[in-house]
Every structure is written in structure tokens, then in C-alpha cells.
Amino acid sequence: MNHTLTCFTRRLHLALLVGLLTILPGEGMAAMQYHWVQLMAGKAVGERWLPDVSIRAIVDQKENCPALYDGQHIKKAKVLLTLQERVKQGQLASNPLFAEIKLCEKTIAADDNLLQQWSVGYLANDKNPTAIRLPNLQGGALPLSQLITSGCTGCRDNKDQYCATTPPASGKSSAKAQPWQLAALMAQAAPASEQLPPLWVHLGDMRYSGQKDGVADSWSHNKGKLGWKEEFFTPYATLLAQSWSVILRGNHEGCFVPGNSWDNSGWQNRGEGWLYFFGSGTTTCQSLAGQQQDMLPPIAFDALAYGGSFAQPVASQQAIRLILLDRVRTGDGRDKDPGTTQALYTAQNRQVAQQWLHTLNRNHPAWLLQHIPSYELNKKGKIESSLFSKALQDALSPAELQQVALLVSAHLHHYELAKEDDKHPLQVTVGNGGVALSGSLDKRCQWSNSGDKSALQAVQFGFLSVRFTVEGGSVNASYQMPLFRAAPGSLQADSPMVCPGKKEAPAVPDCGKASPLPACS
């Protein structure tokens, strides 16, 4: 696929005219329901780590898996690769609730020629091509112009929240129940079409519907509860199609196999759907929980800050190592063995330090992304000691800890920012896009900021967006946290919090200089 950048630009613009999302099919034509480009565990190349790239698509069970072409006119284009059906494992092999769809996938190795240039492919299983932009890894890292994170986005009908577009006439939901705001929230996060694809990381907990009622997992509605289609894929369709993504598990996607230390019989094997859509290999919940104590191995890859657009990308020398951790075991009252959980997370952090932190420096820091925060604030706005903070402190030396510039998490159903001192990384928690907010709606926030300490706990919810600009060899970063009000009705924007990157180290956020917030009530 040796196209020039100009050729790619023409094709990209042409594709954008008909839309980056799948075109609605004509009579007799097959269509993909959803598609995405997912970054997977890859390989080390020298001192750099690169991701493998998995192209995935969901089609009706009766349809063929799509192919990737080197041109939009399918009859004249060359087939670059063909996606293959992903085999359903575990409960999904015999469970009819996923029988109506087929997941297709093809993983491209990090050193494949397709990932050594700026390229646009066209994914199609009939006559309707969809533009797919692949990352250029030739520079030894993922091009990173923007990071978007979200988490805790699932929906559950109860007295605090309803999942339909209009309030229910009766049932558990009360008159004060809030609508599910995920689609509106993600519309705020969606990138401009001409941009380089952002890296989107979902930090886990995308499935809540039916879990407390013991309703079996499903693709579509089941017994009045949302399935994966309605709860995840439909509200995220645009972001999935336009980003390079990493999808992490949360505790609601854990593998609760009876008899293991993390056993909730009402939520058994909730991770089977996640493993099917976003996992690799043939791991089942039974094997993951039984042999690996419900912990997937961490992955890491390097990124370079980029500016410009896909048509005219502008590289910098600012490197970041992205380390993504599987954090499902909660260490709280639902965990039958928190001591083992702490030991497992300590061992995981030691692996991270030994494998990925020892070669870094201030010009090449690490960002850690995980479901459960390493730091939490107590009711007085102070950082409290927890199983997770102990696992971090016990595993990392002070020098290794200083290589971590940012921790990003979800799990808590509100917004938090916590930084103890300049020797510890900033922890940003953006854990609420779906469920009704924790805490009282009249409790606006708790805020303190003095010297090298920062702390904010807000009932508002939102997402994190890190944007880079590269001009004349200089790099600037903006850490934007749009906050939205916890109130019934339509999505209500509150004040955005913005931290600049440090001038001498833009990959290190400086929230001591954050934009001012309204006074806390």
C-alpha cells in the first residue's frame, strides 16, 4: 500500500464526504454494525514498546466478515487483509444471547508494513466502504495528539437513574431520577474528523444493566434490561470509529466464578462478554479466574506527542510510556480475600517497575491507566491510605515513582484530583459517565490547593482530554477536564478544569496552576 500522503488525503476527504461511520445499506447489501481499531499488547523494539493493532467489526451472524481494501472502489481495490470470525468461548459458546451477532477480527503485528506509514484502508463486507486510519509506528511509538478517557459509563434503572430517553411512567425510578447522559457526554468528547485519531481509553465498568437483578448478559435487550449493544456500542459508535482505542475491564466486567476469592453469584461470569469483544486469545472467565486469580497481564506501549492533522502530522521528541493495568479485584467488602488482592497488585506494580519504568526519565515519563484509583480522598479532602496506595508504595522505589507523571482511573462515581506532593504522581479520577452520582447533589465540591499539594473532590462528572500542540519544535500540553452538573434533566455543563503541562516537561501536568473553579458550596 505505497500511497503518497497526497493520495491518502484525497481518499480521506472522499471518505469523509460519505461519513466515517458505516453507510446505511441498500437493499441486498450487507453492513457492519460497529467497527473499531484496538491497540493490543505488542513487542519491544530496542528500548521502545509498540502495540499490535487489532481491527474489529461486528456483523449480523449470517453475514461474512469484512476485508480491508487499499481503495474506496472495492471492485478495483486490492484486498490487504480479511477479518476472521472470533470464536465464542466459555458460556458464550452455548448461550443463545449472543447468537445474533458475529465478531470479526484481524491483528496486525507492530512491525507490519501496514503500520510503517500513514495509511487509510477501507473496510467493507459488500459495497459500502468505511475509512479506517491506521497508526504509523515507524517512528518507534504511537502518534499521540489527544488522549480521551471515560469510565463507569453503564446504565442501571433505579430510583436515581433511568436508561430510556424519556422518564418511565412507573417503576423503580423516582421523579428526581436522572437520565443516562453517556451519549451526550461522548458527543462533547468526539474529535474533529480531520484530526489525527485520538487514543481513547475506557477505564472499565461499561455494563451495569441487569446485574443486581441476576439477568443474564446479552447482546441486545433481555428481560427489559439493556444489552451490550444499547449500553456500550451504540452510545460509543462514533468514538469507536474515529479513535484508536484501549478498552480496560472494571470490576463489573470481572469473572465471578463460584469458589474463587472474588465470588458474587448474582454476577457470575460478567466478564465473558468483555473477553469476547475486547480480549485476545481464547481466555474464558473460568480459566482467568481459576488460573490467574482474575487478573490479566498489564500492557505498555510508547507514544510520541504529535500536532497537526492526519493529512499533515507534526512529530515532536516528547515521549510518554503508557502503561495499562487490569484492576478488577476491589479490595472492599465484596472481596473475600483483600490480603491476596493487595499482594497481587503489589506484584503487578513490581512487574511494571522492573519491565517498564527503570529505563525512563523526565523527558520520557510514564502514565498509568487503571480502573481503580491508587489514591482516594477522605471526607476531609485528604489522601487516605488504602490497599491500592500501599501496593503502589510497596512496589515502587521513590525514584521509580517519580517516573510516573500521571495516574488516570475511574471506579469512584464522582470526579477527583489528588496530589500529595511533588514526589508522588497526580491521580485524576474521571469515573462517571453513566450511573447516578454518588453523594448528595447539593454537595458541590471540596477543593484545596497549596504548594505542591492539590486535592479536589467534586460531585460533577466528566472525562479527561489531554491535547498536544507542536509548533516549531516546542510542545505544549493541555489537561482538560470538562465537568458536568449532577442534576436531573439534560446534560448541564459546569466549569471545565484545565491544567497546563509543565513548560520544561509537557507530559507532566501542573495542576497547581489549574484554571480557577467556582467557589465550593
Side-chain angles (χ1 to χ4, degrees):
M1 200 159 101
N2 294 320
H3 301 295
T4 65
L5 188 58
T6 302
C7 180
F8 288 142
T9 305
R10 284 200 211 100
R11 286 182 172 174
L12 178 60
H13 288 172
L14 182 59
L16 291 172
L17 290 175
V18 295
L20 283 172
L21 293 176
T22 304
I23 304 170
L24 292 175
E27 185 178 354
M29 293 183 183
M32 290 172 290
Q33 294 187 29
Y34 306 96
H35 66 274
W36 66 100
V37 175
Q38 182 174 332
L39 306 183
M40 313 293 289
K43 63 181 66 176
V45 179
E47 292 189 351
R48 292 283 178 89
W49 288 78
L50 297 176
D52 288 346
V53 175
S54 179
I55 301 176
R56 301 195 175 195
I58 295 173
V59 300
D60 291 341
Q61 181 59 46
K62 65 180 181 296
E63 305 292 356
N64 294 325
C65 284
L68 187 71
Y69 296 82
D70 68 353
Q72 186 185 12
H73 301 289
I74 301 306
K75 290 184 178 180
K76 300 178 182 179
K78 175 185 176 183
V79 174
L80 298 169
L81 53 85
T82 300
L83 277 60
Q84 303 296 320
E85 181 177 1
R86 184 167 170 79
V87 177
K88 295 182 175 78
Q89 300 285 330
Q91 285 193 342
L92 300 186
S94 57
N95 193 326
L97 295 174
F98 279 73
E100 63 267 53
I101 55 114
K102 178 190 298 181
L103 175 63
C104 306
E105 67 171 342
K106 180 67 174 180
T107 298
I108 308 171
D111 55 359
D112 190 284
N113 287 336
L114 286 175
L115 304 179
Q116 305 303 306
Q117 55 195 310
W118 295 103
S119 59
V120 180
Y122 295 87
L123 195 63
N125 58 351
D126 206 308
K127 299 177 182 178
N128 296 317
T130 297
I132 297 290
R133 292 179 286 179
L134 297 175
N136 182 353
L137 304 182
Q138 188 177 33
L142 177 80
L144 181 63
S145 63
Q146 182 182 10
L147 169 72
I148 300 171
T149 71
S150 53
C152 301
T153 58
C155 191
R156 180 188 293 134
D157 285 304
N158 57 27
K159 64 182 178 62
D160 298 315
Q161 181 182 37
Y162 59 89
C163 302
T165 54
T166 56
S170 62
K172 293 182 180 180
S173 299
S174 71
K176 295 183 179 180
Q178 298 180 56
W180 187 33
Q181 303 286 12
L182 180 59
L185 188 68
M186 289 300 97
Q188 302 281 339
S193 57
E194 71 276 3
Q195 288 181 339
L196 277 161
L199 172 63
W200 170 49
V201 180
H202 195 292
L203 297 161
D205 280 9
M206 62 279 288
R207 290 285 287 121
Y208 295 119
S209 190
Q211 288 187 346
K212 286 193 173 181
D213 303 307
V215 177
D217 210 354
S218 66
W219 167 243
S220 192
H221 283 93
N222 180 34
K223 297 182 179 179
K225 304 299 181 181
L226 303 182
W228 276 94
K229 178 180 179 180
E230 299 87 12
E231 198 166 1
F232 183 84
F233 285 98
T234 297
Y236 276 126
T238 299
L239 197 55
L240 273 170
Q242 294 185 0
S243 67
W244 300 321
S245 63
V246 177
I247 313 295
L248 301 179
R249 292 195 304 162
N251 54 289
H252 284 264
E253 291 80 47
C255 290
F256 308 125
V257 176
N260 76 344
S261 60
W262 199 172
D263 172 11
N264 186 318
S265 58
W267 293 0
Q268 287 179 18
N269 293 339
R270 300 304 298 201
E272 291 283 28
W274 187 95
L275 288 169
Y276 177 58
F277 292 119
F278 309 114
S280 60
T282 57
T283 301
T284 66
C285 263
Q286 189 73 36
S287 63
L288 178 57
Q291 300 168 18
Q292 297 173 246
Q293 297 180 286
D294 210 2
M295 284 187 64
L296 290 167
I299 66 173
F301 50 84
D302 288 300
L304 280 178
Y306 263 72
S309 64
F310 192 82
Q312 293 182 311
V314 180
S316 77
Q317 297 300 310
Q318 175 62 68
I320 307 106
R321 178 157 293 170
L322 297 155
I323 301 173
L324 303 119
L325 306 177
D326 185 64
R327 291 285 170 96
V328 165
R329 299 174 62 114
T330 59
D332 59 15
R334 295 167 289 184
D335 191 335
K336 292 183 176 181
D337 192 356
T340 295
T341 295
Q342 181 174 335
L344 287 168
Y345 287 149
T346 300
Q348 184 188 65
N349 288 331
R350 283 183 180 141
Q351 176 189 348
V352 165
Q354 293 168 4
Q355 192 166 8
W356 291 310
L357 293 182
H358 70 281
T359 61
L360 302 184
N361 54 51
R362 200 67 169 169
N363 296 320
H364 190 175
W367 292 350
L368 269 60
L369 298 102
Q370 58 200 22
H371 177 67
I372 299 177
S374 291
Y375 306 133
E376 291 184 35
L377 301 180
N378 59 26
K379 293 182 179 180
K380 295 182 179 180
K382 304 293 184 182
I383 295 175
E384 63 181 7
S385 178
S386 69
L387 174 158
F388 304 98
S389 63
K390 290 177 181 176
L392 190 69
Q393 300 287 344
D394 290 347
L396 272 62
S397 68
E400 290 166 338
L401 199 60
Q402 284 205 288
Q403 304 309 322
V404 180
L406 180 64
L407 289 160
V408 187
S409 307
H411 191 56
L412 308 179
H413 295 166
H414 55 246
Y415 172 78
E416 276 196 10
L417 179 149
K419 190 173 193 300
E420 190 170 31
D421 54 47
D422 220 22
K423 298 178 182 178
H424 294 82
L426 176 74
Q427 167 77 68
V428 176
T429 301
V430 289
N432 198 50
V435 298
L437 298 169
S438 301
S440 171
L441 295 183
D442 60 3
K443 182 181 177 184
R444 181 94 185 236
C445 60
Q446 296 174 349
W447 167 247
S448 63
N449 189 7
S450 60
D452 55 2
K453 295 184 179 182
S454 299
L456 169 65
Q457 185 179 84
V459 174
Q460 295 102 318
F461 62 100
F463 57 92
L464 171 66
S465 173
V466 183
R467 293 178 181 270
F468 288 104
T469 57
V470 181
E471 295 180 1
S474 65
V475 182
N476 293 302
S478 177
Y479 298 76
Q480 305 171 26
M481 291 145 270
L483 300 180
F484 297 86
R485 197 168 305 147
S490 60
L491 187 68
Q492 300 175 55
D494 213 325
S495 57
M497 183 174 182
V498 182
C499 302
K502 290 192 174 182
K503 187 174 182 180
E504 69 283 5
V508 181
D510 185 2
C511 287
K513 299 177 181 178
S515 57
L517 287 170
C520 296
S521 60

